[in-house]
């Protein structure tokens, strides 16, 4: 869940491994370029923290941040869907 903290919209994401975390970061980067709105990104192994604020409005949370957060959540759900679909094809259900 996204939380407002210190004039930023923040969320932590946890992945299975470092590679999945980096793939997510790259997708967030592509999305950010398309929307011309760039988050602060912190990564330690399989954990990613994103912080959003609108710099040209004085580093406050605006509708632009909520829009980006919503689009970022869609990236995460697509990764979960692909992972579960792959497990279904293999006949395994490990999460």
């Amino acid at each position: 869940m996204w939380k407002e903290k210190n004039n930023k919209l923040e969320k932590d994401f946890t992945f299975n491994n470092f590679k999945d975390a980096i793939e997510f970061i790259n997708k967030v980067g592509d999305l950010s370029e398309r929307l011309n709105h760039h988050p602060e990104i912190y990564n330690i192994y399989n954990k990613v923290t994103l912080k959003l604020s609108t710099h040209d409005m004085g580093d406050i949370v605006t509708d632009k941040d909520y829009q980006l957060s919503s689009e970022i959540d869609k990236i995460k759900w697509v990764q979960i869907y692909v992972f579960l679909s792959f497990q279904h094809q293999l006949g395994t259900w490990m999460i």
Side-chain angles (χ1 to χ4, degrees):
M1 172 179 277
W2 290 91
K3 296 179 184 175
E4 277 196 54
K5 183 178 175 185
N6 299 324
N7 290 326
K8 296 185 188 297
L9 198 55
E10 300 183 14
K11 187 170 183 180
D12 297 318
F13 297 85
T14 302
F15 298 88
N16 290 327
N17 53 49
F18 179 74
K19 183 181 177 204
D20 290 347
I22 293 301
E23 286 176 3
F24 174 73
I25 289 170
N26 287 330
K27 289 176 184 176
V28 168
D30 291 341
L31 173 63
S32 299
E33 282 295 303
R34 282 196 311 272
L35 296 178
N36 193 31
H37 192 51
H38 305 90
E40 294 177 26
I41 301 173
Y42 302 90
N43 170 242
I44 299 174
Y45 183 60
N46 69 331
K47 297 185 184 339
V48 176
T49 298
L50 300 178
K51 297 182 181 184
L52 311 177
S53 65
T54 304
H55 308 293
D56 57 353
M57 296 296 289
D59 283 327
I60 61 171
V61 177
T62 67
D63 288 341
K64 203 171 183 179
D65 302 299
Y66 283 102
Q67 177 189 7
L68 180 56
S69 69
S70 177
E71 294 299 317
I72 290 169
D73 282 342
K74 291 176 187 174
I75 293 170
K76 178 67 174 167
W77 282 110
V78 166
Q79 286 183 307
I80 291 170
Y81 176 77
V82 169
F83 176 74
L84 292 176
S85 295
F86 181 71
Q87 286 191 340
H88 177 70
Q89 289 175 3
L90 293 176
T92 61
W93 290 101
M94 296 171 35
I95 295 179

